Amino acid sequence: MLAAGNSFGVSLALAQARTDPMLNNGPPPWDANHDGIYTCQEWKSFMDRLFVSADKGRKGFLTPQEFASIKKGDPSLADADFGYFDENQDGKISRKEFVEKPSVFIMRFDKNGDCRVTPEELKAAANPANPGPQERPRDRFH
């Protein structure tokens, strides 16, 4: 649930931005404290939980089959590519490769580069007349 103080504005912004593929399934599920602000730390925690749940046998890496199960089970990663996560191209995804990979959602909507996507940034993305700052945020994970 979103905090009551900003839920109307965020709901409106999300409704207007539904055509954006990053928001087609509603707000991201990894907003741990349900405050309507999506942070890099929340993303990393979410990805760590996904990794642990998919790493059968606790071997410390994901196989292509395990990665496919994550894609099927989580809509936010449905279009993810194995090669995007497998940085060293060894045919498996380590925990670090998976958890430390930046969130495409945050990189797209975090216009001020503070590693947080706020309701205001979502509203700006939903309103083409006011697109907000045009500077692309740097990758804050590496």
Side-chain angles (χ1 to χ4, degrees), residues 61-83:
F61 62 85
L62 300 177
T63 64
Q65 296 78 17
E66 290 167 334
F67 181 74
S69 71
I70 287 175
K71 288 177 57 166
K72 288 179 187 172
D74 191 277
S76 64
L77 294 169
D79 295 328
D81 180 61
F82 187 88

Side-chain angles (χ1 to χ4, degrees), residues 23-43:
L23 296 173
N24 284 344
N25 297 311
W30 39 271
D31 181 16
N33 61 1
H34 309 291
D35 65 352
I37 298 172
Y38 310 99
T39 69
C40 292
Q41 188 56 47
E42 288 173 323
W43 172 253

Side-chain angles (χ1 to χ4, degrees), residues 89-122:
Q89 301 299 301
D90 64 354
K92 55 189 176 186
I93 301 171
S94 71
R95 186 181 205 142
K96 182 179 180 185
E97 286 174 319
F98 191 73
V99 173
E100 296 296 320
K101 197 52 97 168
S103 163
V104 174
F105 177 87
I106 289 178
M107 287 179 19
R108 180 172 195 163
F109 293 106
D110 178 21
K111 297 300 181 188
N112 65 359
D114 65 355
C115 223
R116 296 163 31 107
V117 175
T118 64
E120 293 76 22
E121 287 168 317
L122 287 174

